[in-house]
Every structure is written in structure tokens, then in C-alpha cells.
Amino acid sequence: AVAQAAVREFIAGGDLDRHVRRVRKEYARRRAALVRELAGLTVPAAVLGDTAGLHVVVELPAPVADAVSDAAARAGIGLSSLRHYHHGRARVHGLVLGYGGAPMDRLTDGAHVLVRLINEARPGA
């Protein structure tokens, strides 16, 4: 009952609306910074999901995606390969980049390194 009353006050006082507006603006800022960094890609790639949400997908050729996924892990960059999201044979290859939990400086630094890794990727290396 106490938690429900607190949530009711949070909503009634307009705090929820302010919070949602603030985090939407912050996540849009992070997303824009990530997409700006990804514009430096020189390999064939498609950036998907760059208009909303808390992650983007960088679609890449399969050998590049696999090489970069492994290199990013060694560089301490947290990301996920699309190979983990398929049942059966994968038809799309690439990387899932979340930006919701990283501070802006770490996000842009990591994205800069990631773009370099993608641009330098040598399949099978």
C-alpha cells in the first residue's frame, strides 16, 4: 500500500512525465552520438533501429561480424552478435549495440574503437 501511494503521488505530481521526457531526451542524445560514430564505417553495413529504442543493429557481412564480435570482446567492448538471436541458419549477420547503460564518454569512445575494428576487419583473422 505504501509503494502504491508513492507511485500514485509520483504520477499525480507530474514527476513521471518529467522523468520520461528527460530520459527520452538523454537516450536520443546517446543514440545520435552512436549513429554519428557509425557514419565513419567504410565497409558495407546497414544501421538499423536508429530512430528509437535503446539499441541499434549494425548489419555486416557474416565473416566481418564474427571477426569484429571477437575483437570487440578482447577490447572490452560489450556488444552482442546477431548469431545469438537466430534459431537455425542465420539469414542476417551483424552486431547489436546497446547504448542505454553506458555513460556518454564511454559510449563514444567504445563506438570509435568499434568503427576502427569494423573498418579493419579481415574475415578469418
Side-chain angles (χ1 to χ4, degrees), residues 44-84:
V47 178
L48 310 170
D50 59 336
T51 58
L54 295 174
H55 71 276
V56 297
V57 170
V58 179
E59 190 175 340
L60 296 163
V64 173
D66 291 341
V68 170
S69 179
D70 296 339
R74 288 190 300 273
I77 298 171
L79 54 78
S80 187
S81 172
L82 280 179
R83 67 181 170 224
H84 301 296

Side-chain angles (χ1 to χ4, degrees), residues 4-78:
Q4 289 177 343
V7 170
R8 183 180 62 239
E9 289 300 315
F10 187 67
I11 294 169
D15 295 313
L16 177 62
D17 288 335
R18 281 189 291 282
H19 172 72
V20 168
R21 280 193 302 277
R22 183 181 59 78
V23 296
R24 278 185 180 162
K25 187 181 291 187
E26 176 59 23
Y27 292 142
R29 190 172 76 92
R30 292 179 192 190
R31 182 174 51 253
L34 179 58
V35 170
R36 264 193 313 277
E37 288 292 331
L38 294 173
L41 291 173
T42 59
V43 300
V47 178
L48 310 170
D50 59 336
T51 58
L54 295 174
H55 71 276
V56 297
V57 170
V58 179
E59 190 175 340
L60 296 163
V64 173
D66 291 341
V68 170
S69 179
D70 296 339
R74 288 190 300 273
I77 298 171

